[in-house]
Amino acid sequence: MSNFGFQHLRVVNPYDVAFEGARSAVGAAQVLVNAERYETLAEAVADCSLVVGTTAIGHRDLQHSLQRLEAGAPIIRAHVASGPCALLFGSEKFGLSNRDMSHCHWLMHIATREKHRTMNLGQAVAVCLYELMRDPCALAKPEKGTRAASAEVERITGTLLAALKASDYPKLNTSDSFEGAVRRLVRRLRLQTGDAEFLLGMLRQMVWKMKHGRDAEG
């Protein structure tokens, strides 16, 4: 990160033995000292209006749109001009879980040979950050408006799940897969801030009406 000018590191439940040992990295001490720790991924990306996950693909059945690094980098650079973005990496051994990926707007991967897709975590980070800085003039067309932050989108997700529960939605269940599907659906809407507030207000009114209507019937 320090090599390529990125200073804002956020970690979610880091493995302390490895994380503390990394503080001796030459020239990178300040990045690690200032690293922010979070208990959950949702908290870590709450203020980000774009969350891009990274994956080696493998044999996983991905539920997101997928970009190669060289195609995704210009999109990220264009977005940074209008709002904060998180580039999300999973653990070196397991990568991102399906639940982690449900917090992402889309996924990105580094082109590698098919027989050896996975990379060392540090190397993968370096390759991605190099590509982001390699040609800062090669920007995609800037987005219009301000994209809703992840915290706001997560509130919509939670309220929509509450509305589904209050309406006795027949397919509702408490599994991570269903919750993840709803979270991905909301993120695919790519809501602007004003639209997100409008939708959240409508959903909250629906939940209130369904709950109080049921109480009145009882």
Side-chain angles (χ1 to χ4, degrees):
M1 289 181 63
S2 183
N3 285 142
F4 300 109
F6 293 85
Q7 301 295 319
H8 304 291
L9 173 63
R10 297 180 179 183
V11 291
V12 179
N13 291 323
Y15 178 50
D16 283 331
V17 174
F19 187 66
E20 294 298 329
R23 292 186 182 277
S24 63
V26 176
Q30 201 60 39
V31 172
L32 291 164
V33 167
N34 294 332
E36 301 174 30
R37 292 177 179 239
Y38 293 87
E39 293 295 324
T40 67
L41 179 56
E43 293 172 320
V45 301
D47 63 334
C48 298
S49 49
L50 176 63
V51 181
V52 179
T54 56
T55 178
I57 306 177
H59 300 292
R60 303 182 70 165
D61 181 21
L62 300 178
Q63 303 298 318
H64 290 73
S65 60
L66 182 67
Q67 298 275 5
R68 281 174 52 131
L69 172 59
E70 61 269 29
I75 300 173
I76 294 173
R77 286 196 295 263
H79 181 88
V80 169
S82 60
C85 171
L87 185 56
L88 185 60
F89 295 87
S91 70
E92 186 165 308
K93 187 173 183 180
F94 300 108
L96 296 174
S97 68
N98 289 333
R99 185 177 180 83
D100 294 334
M101 288 183 181
S102 72
H103 289 272
C104 300
H105 291 88
W106 46 274
L107 303 176
M108 188 166 67
H109 75 105
I110 300 170
T112 56
R113 72 186 183 98
E114 188 173 350
K115 292 184 178 180
H116 194 174
R117 294 179 180 273
T118 59
M119 294 179 67
N120 170 276
L121 177 58
Q123 293 173 343
V125 172
V127 170
C128 288
L129 299 188
Y130 168 75
E131 183 64 26
L132 285 172
M133 294 299 295
R134 181 177 65 85
D135 188 7
C137 294
L139 296 177
K141 185 178 180 180
E143 296 181 343
K144 295 181 179 179
T146 303
R147 185 87 67 84
S150 287
E152 193 169 16
V153 176
E154 189 64 15
R155 284 194 289 272
I156 291 173
T157 302
T159 308
L160 177 55
L161 287 168
L164 292 170
K165 182 177 181 180
S167 68
D168 295 324
Y169 181 67
K171 295 183 180 180
L172 181 67
N173 59 68
T174 58
S175 70
D176 286 345
S177 60
F178 182 83
E179 182 178 320
V182 173
R183 185 175 286 112
R184 289 191 299 272
L185 171 64
V186 175
R187 276 157 179 73
R188 282 198 296 270
L189 297 176
R190 303 193 175 204
L191 293 166
Q192 302 292 319
T193 298
D195 293 335
E197 294 173 355
F198 188 36
L199 177 58
L200 183 59
M202 288 190 291
L203 288 171
R204 284 175 170 168
Q205 176 63 23
M206 290 166 62
V207 172
W208 183 89
K209 188 70 174 178
M210 285 186 285
K211 286 184 175 179
H212 285 73
R214 185 170 296 176
D215 292 342
E217 291 176 1

